[in-house]
Amino acid sequence: MVSRFSRRHFAKLVGLSSLAMALPAGAAERKGKPAHDRFAPAPFPKGFVWGTATSSYQIEGAVNEDGRGPSIWDTFSHTTGKIADHSNGDRANEHYYRYKEDVQLIKRLGVEAYRFSIAWPRVFPEGTGAANPTGLDFYHRLIDELLANGIEPYATLYHWDLPQALEDRVGGWRSSDTSKAFGDYSRYVAARISDRVKNIFTINEAGRFLNFGYGWGIDAPGLKLPAGELNQARHNVVLGHGHAVQAIRAGARKGTKVGIAENIAACVPAFATPEHIRATEMATRELNAGLLGVTLEGKYTDGYLEYAGKDAPKFTADELKIIGSKTDFVGLNIYAPQFYIAASDKKPGWDVLPFPSSFPHMNSEWLRIGPEVIYWAPKIAAKIWDIDTIYISENGTSSEDKLHDNGKVYDLDRISFLRNYLTQLQRATSEGVPVKGYFLWSLMDNFEWIFGYEKRFGVYHVDFQTQARTPKLSAAFYRDVVAKNAIGP
């Protein structure tokens, strides 16, 4: 066939190409759009917030500087056998000293927002009592540096680094004393940063730190509580959120917005038929009833209390009012589909489907690849809880992230992950799902909790010996998405 392809055939093709180039504009365009853009998806909404995120213990280091007290993660990471690579966050990324350099990394991504967390034991080394203004000074410097570079700060008040003193004195989140202490800490911080920080997240991923830290014992503080005590700890955490919301309303500058960031129990219909979608809505409400649901409804569902039975948390009507304090937004941390749901004729009307062993995953085995989750989770959440402002407060993936001899990191798997997830998110916003922004996890490689430094989630590679930061290929990809405000050609 190739041998029969002569110069005459080639000339004919060239002629056709020339003819196509000479066609009038109307033949190459439809409705004023170039032909190659005709089928491009709608961009993200105007004003969509693009950002990136980190957390205090994972990057700051300087654990003994300027009056900071120890946290439960300092204690836990120094306990033999708890961290995969036997590391800890004592040094981490040295962000406490290198924050100006790191702000420039954020700026180079072209994003307009940065979500960071404040270390409670920097501000209140004992958890309560006398504040340590020097500890908060670091965050004042960071906030000022962000604003000087055109980056909007989004602060998180609790990203797992509970003061060890509270754990020792009252049992941490096992006690409602911690809930009240969190409210006091929130009021103190909000009163001092809300002149420049207009968006505050209270608590990050209660579902993770409660189940892993208080239920299964594999995160700080390493407890394995019986079901009743674990449910009570859950109640104390959402009560702490409610106290924080009320404290911020009372102590912050007018116009300060507040919400929670939760790793929603993300449910996806097995496939999109009306009965499976309805079943997924019911499952989403019930499987989130103990944390996200009660903060948005101000009550526990009958199904949750019935299922918990004698292990249900003890609470008062006044506590439910505090927990249900109205928020301005909801942050959803979405990585992987946690549950695929099918309709059922039996109570409760839905089934959780088992994952086949061949289900694909990323470099972290728990991170199953299901881009549709970032379409369904916010869509369903907005519907069942009538939410009008959602942020994707975390989304991203680990990767092998090998640094090649030429100094480059070609993290094509992360780019593929982000491309597919953001395409589904773009689908959601084009249908009117009220997602107002997206925070990529993470800005740079860091201390990844029980995995130590073995798992890398950043778009900047970090050499933890030299602290050199190197942009990965995904950093350029994300910068391009932000510049276009779209995933497209």
Side-chain angles (χ1 to χ4, degrees):
M1 182 69 181
V2 174
S3 62
R4 294 169 59 191
F5 195 87
S6 66
R7 291 185 180 182
R8 186 175 70 254
H9 290 100
F10 183 77
K12 185 176 181 180
L13 287 174
V14 171
L16 289 172
S17 299
S18 301
L19 177 62
M21 293 175 63
L23 287 173
E29 298 182 0
R30 294 294 184 271
K31 298 183 180 179
K33 293 183 68 176
H36 68 277
D37 283 338
R38 284 171 56 200
F39 305 110
F44 286 91
K46 184 178 180 181
F48 190 83
V49 175
W50 292 102
T52 187
T54 62
S55 85
S56 48
Y57 187 72
Q58 292 181 272
I59 67 168
E60 285 179 1
V63 295
N64 298 311
E65 297 294 322
D66 296 330
R68 178 190 181 276
S71 77
I72 57 174
W73 269 98
D74 292 290
T75 302
F76 189 79
S77 65
H78 280 267
T79 303
T80 302
K82 297 300 184 181
I83 309 301
D85 62 358
H86 313 291
S87 65
N88 54 61
D90 289 3
R91 186 186 180 200
N93 298 54
E94 296 185 349
H95 176 70
Y96 193 79
Y97 308 109
R98 299 172 181 267
Y99 71 93
K100 289 188 177 181
E101 173 188 349
D102 294 337
V103 168
Q104 292 307 307
L105 301 183
I106 300 168
K107 188 175 182 178
R108 286 174 203 143
L109 291 177
V111 300
E112 62 261 43
Y114 174 54
R115 179 175 171 245
F116 63 96
S117 75
I118 293 172
W120 188 347
R122 284 202 192 279
V123 184
F124 286 92
E126 297 297 315
T128 59
N132 173 34
T134 305
L136 193 58
D137 284 347
F138 166 69
Y139 301 103
H140 286 309
R141 296 192 296 271
L142 173 62
I143 291 164
D144 289 343
E145 187 71 15
L146 290 166
L147 291 172
N149 284 275
I151 301 163
E152 186 76 16
Y154 284 66
T156 302
L157 297 177
Y158 185 75
H159 199 131
W160 309 359
D161 42 3
L162 182 77
Q164 182 64 45
L166 275 176
E167 187 68 32
D168 293 340
R169 194 164 63 247
V170 302
W173 291 111
R174 287 171 283 175
S175 170
S176 61
D177 288 347
T178 297
S179 313
K180 295 172 184 176
F182 183 63
D184 294 339
Y185 153 68
S186 300
R187 181 191 295 263
Y188 180 88
V189 172
R192 287 158 178 79
I193 69 171
S194 58
D195 58 330
R196 290 154 296 150
V197 178
K198 300 305 179 185
N199 296 275
I200 299 176
F201 292 88
T202 56
I203 291 173
N204 182 80
E205 283 198 4
R208 162 68 192 258
F209 75 76
L210 281 163
N211 287 333
F212 282 57
Y214 289 84
W216 302 331
I218 57 177
D219 272 4
L223 302 177
K224 296 180 180 179
L225 300 180
E229 291 182 39
L230 180 58
N231 282 335
Q232 197 63 48
R234 286 194 179 97
H235 177 76
N236 293 334
V237 168
V238 291
L239 181 59
H241 158 76
H243 279 305
V245 173
Q246 293 192 353
I248 292 166
R249 298 272 187 240
R253 298 288 182 95
K254 185 177 180 181
T256 304
K257 296 181 179 179
V258 60
I260 195 168
E262 184 53 45
N263 57 327
I264 183 173
C267 299
V268 176
F271 49 92
T273 60
E275 61 270 21
H276 291 327
I277 294 171
R278 176 59 187 145
T280 305
E281 292 168 354
M282 292 189 292
T284 297
R285 183 168 182 253
E286 290 300 332
L287 292 171
N288 288 283
L291 291 171
L292 185 59
V294 69
T295 68
L296 296 173
E297 298 183 36
K299 64 179 181 180
Y300 293 110
T301 65
D302 293 339
Y304 172 77
L305 296 175
E306 180 183 349
Y307 179 80
K310 64 180 179 59
D311 294 320
K314 295 175 174 59
F315 56 88
T316 67
D318 285 342
E319 286 177 339
L320 290 180
K321 288 180 182 178
I322 294 170
I323 292 167
S325 298
K326 182 173 175 53
T327 54
D328 300 293
F329 59 81
V330 173
L332 300 180
N333 294 0
I334 300 175
Y335 290 89
Q338 289 179 263
F339 306 102
Y340 280 91
I341 304 296
S344 172
D345 294 332
K346 299 179 181 179
K347 188 180 179 181
W350 45 272
D351 286 327
V352 173
L353 305 182
F355 281 92
S357 60
S358 60
F359 201 96
H361 61 80
M362 297 300 292
N363 173 262
S364 296
E365 290 190 6
W366 61 266
L367 212 171
R368 299 184 180 100
I369 304 169
E372 65 274 17
V373 67
I374 209 168
Y375 168 81
W376 285 109
K379 181 184 179 76
I380 290 172
K383 179 180 179 181
I384 63 178
W385 289 305
D386 193 26
I387 307 169
D388 60 15
T389 301
I390 293 173
Y391 292 105
I392 303 302
S393 35
E394 288 184 24
N395 172 252
T397 183
S398 62
S399 172
E400 182 185 24
D401 291 339
K402 180 180 178 181
L403 192 65
H404 290 268
D405 292 341
N406 61 1
K408 305 290 186 181
V409 178
Y410 301 114
D411 53 339
L412 295 173
D413 53 348
R414 179 176 289 108
I415 290 173
S416 177
F417 178 94
L418 293 174
R419 181 188 297 114
N420 283 285
Y421 273 68
L422 288 172
T423 297
Q424 289 291 324
L425 185 61
Q426 189 166 293
R427 173 190 173 200
T429 59
S430 72
E431 293 179 10
V433 178
V435 177
K436 308 299 183 182
Y438 171 92
F439 291 84
L440 172 66
W441 188 273
S442 178
L443 171 65
M444 54 186 167
D445 300 334
N446 52 44
F447 178 78
E448 188 50 40
W449 307 115
I450 58 174
F451 299 104
Y453 299 96
E454 291 182 350
K455 296 296 181 183
R456 294 175 175 269
F457 276 78
V459 291
Y460 285 94
H461 179 277
V462 178
D463 181 323
F464 292 103
Q465 296 302 314
T466 66
Q467 292 294 333
R469 277 82 155 135
T470 302
K472 304 173 187 177
L473 191 60
S474 59
F477 168 80
Y478 189 50
R479 183 169 61 244
D480 182 66
V481 171
V482 173
K484 291 178 179 175
N485 197 37
I487 291 285

